[in-house]
């Protein structure tokens, strides 16, 4: 897991990328794909007018269905902007507040499984006019595929 934080003109980013040495195992692929699906579900819930806890609910629903809910032990995301971790919006269970166009948050579902390890996928996502905007932008998130890099 590699966490990256950069600052440009006073604005922060918060990204996490995964990698393995050698070829990933079937279980690593499965967990990673469930996390990516959870991240995409959370990102799709980043809509103007949605509650701060809607993205968290979306991610948890995917991970619980996959049997990974008990290992998702932290929040889905937090605001990113003038600070590395901003409090608005906090994407977590019971968070109150309403998402607005232009808000930027990390979307970072992660699972930490005893005797297996931890995986987390983190991107910065803005509430856009027609849905989520990923930073850095991606041509297509498309089908949930395992794209872990070999180091």
């Amino acid at each position: 897991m590699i966490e990256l934080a950069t600052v440009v003109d006073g604005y922060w980013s918060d990204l996490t990328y995964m990698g393995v040495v050698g070829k990933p195992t079937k279980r690593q692929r499965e967990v990673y794909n469930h996390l990516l699906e959870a991240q995409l579900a959370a990102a799709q819930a980043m809509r103007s007018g949605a509650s701060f806890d809607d993205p968290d609910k979306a991610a948890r629903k995917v991970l619980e269905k996959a049997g990974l809910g008990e290992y998702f032990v932290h929040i889905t995301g937090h605001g990113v902007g003038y600070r590395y971790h901003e409090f608005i919006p906090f994407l977590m269970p019971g968070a109150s507040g309403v998402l607005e166009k232009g808000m930027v948050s990390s979307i970072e579902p992660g699972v930490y499984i005893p005797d297996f390890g931890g995986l987390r996928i983190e991107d910065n996502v803005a509430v856009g006019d027609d849905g989520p905007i990923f930073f850095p932008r991606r041509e297509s998130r498309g089908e949930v595929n395992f794209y872990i890099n070999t180091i």
Side-chain angles (χ1 to χ4, degrees):
M1 199 178 310
I2 300 170
E3 178 133 12
L4 305 167
T6 59
V7 182
V8 175
D9 296 331
Y11 290 94
W12 285 83
S13 71
D14 187 8
L15 307 168
T16 302
Y17 293 96
M18 296 299 308
V20 298
V21 176
K23 189 171 183 172
T25 66
K26 180 181 177 188
R27 181 68 173 147
Q28 287 171 326
R29 285 182 185 279
E30 290 170 353
V31 172
Y32 184 89
N33 283 333
H34 291 307
L35 281 174
L36 184 55
E37 184 181 352
Q39 186 197 45
L40 295 174
Q44 288 302 317
M46 291 281 289
R47 303 270 179 188
S48 184
S51 171
F52 285 178
D53 69 350
D54 285 347
D56 185 86
K57 287 178 186 174
R60 287 182 195 282
K61 181 177 177 182
V62 169
L63 293 174
E64 286 168 9
K65 181 179 175 188
L68 297 169
E70 70 181 288
Y71 306 116
F72 183 20
V73 295
H74 61 78
I75 67 174
T76 296
H78 56 80
V80 179
Y82 287 121
R83 294 189 305 188
Y84 184 54
H85 291 118
E86 292 198 358
F87 299 109
I88 298 174
F90 256 138
L91 309 179
M92 58 188 252
S96 62
V98 176
L99 292 169
E100 299 175 19
K101 179 184 170 190
M103 285 183 163
V104 179
S105 179
S106 67
I107 302 285
E108 53 182 292
V111 294
Y112 308 92
I113 305 169
D115 300 318
F116 173 78
L119 284 86
R120 182 172 73 230
I121 302 172
E122 180 179 18
D123 287 297
N124 297 161
V125 179
V127 177
D129 284 328
D130 299 317
I133 301 168
F134 280 82
F135 298 104
R137 291 183 185 249
R138 299 181 188 267
E139 289 299 316
S140 171
R141 298 296 277 188
E143 180 181 323
V144 177
N145 289 314
F146 189 79
Y147 62 89
I148 215 166
N149 294 321
T150 301
I151 299 173

